[in-house]
Amino acid sequence: MGQRTNQMRYKTNGRPLTTMRRVKRKRSLVDRILRKNEKSNYKILGAITIGMAITMINGMNQGTKNLEDSLRLAKMQQTHIVTEEEKWRESLRYDVNAQEAQQEKEEIKIENVLSNVVEQYNQNAAQYGEQTITENDIKIYEEMGINDGQIFSQYSDSGELEYHQNYLKQNDGTVNWVAKENIDGAYAIVNGLDNTAIAGIINLNGEYEPLKVDLMKTASNQDIIASDNYITIEGNKEVYDSLKNEAQKRIKEQEDKSKGIENEM
C-alpha cells in the first residue's frame, strides 16, 4: 500500500475540500447585526441624499419658474407701457400728419397756385424783356373739347416726358399724338397783358400732367402762343380742380355781369 499522507480535514458535511477551496468563516451573531445596521445606515443615508437632491432640484425648478414668471410679468408690464407710449406717439404723428395734409391742401388753393405762377414769372420777367404781372392780369382758359392732332407727347433734352399743345403741329413721326377720347380736359394760364400762355395742365384719363401750351385757339378764335418765360406747374388733381373751379367761377361772374348789364338796359 502506498504511503498515506497526512491531510487535514475539515467538517464539511461529508464533502472533502481541496486546497483550491476556502472555507468561509461563519459570521457571528454580532457581525450579522453590525452588518445589517451598516446596510440600514447606507439605505437611510442614500434616502436622505436622494431626498436632498430632489429638494434641491425642486427648489431650482421653482426658482427657475419664479424667475420665468418674473421676467414674463416684467415683459408684459414693459409691453403695456410701450403700447401706451406708442399710442401717444401715434396720436402725435396723426396730429402732425393731419396738420401737414391740411397745410398742403391750403397751399394748393387757387390763390396760391396763381400767386406761385406770378412769383415765378416775375422772377425771370426782366431776363426775357417782359413786364411783371399781378394775379389780376391772369386769365384761365378752359379747354374741354380738344380734338385729335392737338395734344402730343415727346421727350425733352433732359429725358423727361412732356405734353404739348399745338394744333398746327405736323405729324412728322417724331411725336406721339394723344387721341381725343383720352383727354378729359385741359386748362391754360394766360398772361392777359400780352395774351401769351405761361402755364398749363391736362387731364388724361384721370392722370394729371403739366401741359406746355405752344399754340392754342380760344373760343373767340384767337391764337395764343407760349411765352418764352413759361412756368411748369405741378401736375396733380388738386391743382387741376383748383383751376377748374376758378375758371367756372369767373365764367359765372362774367355771365352774371352780362345779365346785370342787360337788365339795366
Side-chain angles (χ1 to χ4, degrees), residues 31 33 47-48 63 82 93 109-110 134 162 184 220 242 254:
D31 289 337
I33 294 174
I48 294 174
V82 171
R93 284 197 294 268
K109 287 182 179 179
I110 187 60
T134 66
E162 298 178 337
D184 294 330
S220 60
S242 296
Q254 186 63 36

Side-chain angles (χ1 to χ4, degrees), residues 62-217:
Q62 185 64 33
T64 303
K65 185 176 184 301
N66 293 338
L67 179 60
E68 291 178 351
D69 292 341
S70 299
L71 292 175
R72 189 180 299 107
L73 179 61
K75 186 176 181 180
M76 291 175 61
Q77 292 175 347
Q78 182 180 4
T79 303
H80 178 72
I81 294 174
V82 171
T83 301
E84 292 298 327
E85 183 179 356
E86 285 298 322
K87 288 181 180 179
W88 175 69
R89 290 181 179 179
E90 186 64 26
S91 65
L92 292 182
R93 284 197 294 268
Y94 177 80
D95 292 340
V96 171
N97 293 337
Q99 292 175 2
E100 290 178 352
Q102 182 64 25
Q103 183 178 359
E104 290 177 358
K105 188 174 182 180
E106 292 176 354
E107 288 177 354
I108 58 177
K109 287 182 179 179
I110 187 60
E111 294 84 359
N112 292 322
V113 172
L114 297 182
S115 64
N116 289 337
V117 170
V118 169
E119 180 181 359
Q120 294 182 55
Y121 183 90
N122 289 337
Q123 286 177 354
N124 301 321
Q127 177 182 348
Y128 293 100
E130 300 169 342
Q131 66 181 101
T132 59
I133 61 176
T134 66
E135 292 183 31
N136 293 330
D137 299 322
I138 294 293
K139 295 180 181 179
I140 302 176
Y141 285 92
E142 182 179 18
E143 306 177 79
M144 300 304 295
I146 302 177
N147 296 322
D148 291 336
Q150 293 193 28
I151 304 294
F152 62 91
S153 65
Q154 68 178 15
Y155 287 94
S156 65
D157 295 336
S158 60
E160 295 182 359
L161 184 64
E162 298 178 337
Y163 288 89
H164 292 256
Q165 179 178 10
N166 187 342
Y167 74 94
L168 292 181
K169 178 71 175 179
Q170 298 296 318
N171 189 357
D172 55 3
T174 62
V175 298
N176 295 316
W177 293 98
V178 179
K180 64 178 182 179
E181 59 265 21
N182 296 326
I183 303 173
D184 294 330
Y187 289 89
I189 300 177
V190 175
N191 177 3
L193 298 180
D194 59 8
N195 284 329
T196 57
I198 59 176
I201 188 171
I202 188 169
N203 180 0
L204 301 171
N205 292 331
E207 298 291 334
Y208 303 89
E209 300 289 346
L211 177 65
K212 177 70 178 299
V213 182
D214 298 324
L215 177 62
M216 63 170 285
K217 187 178 288 293

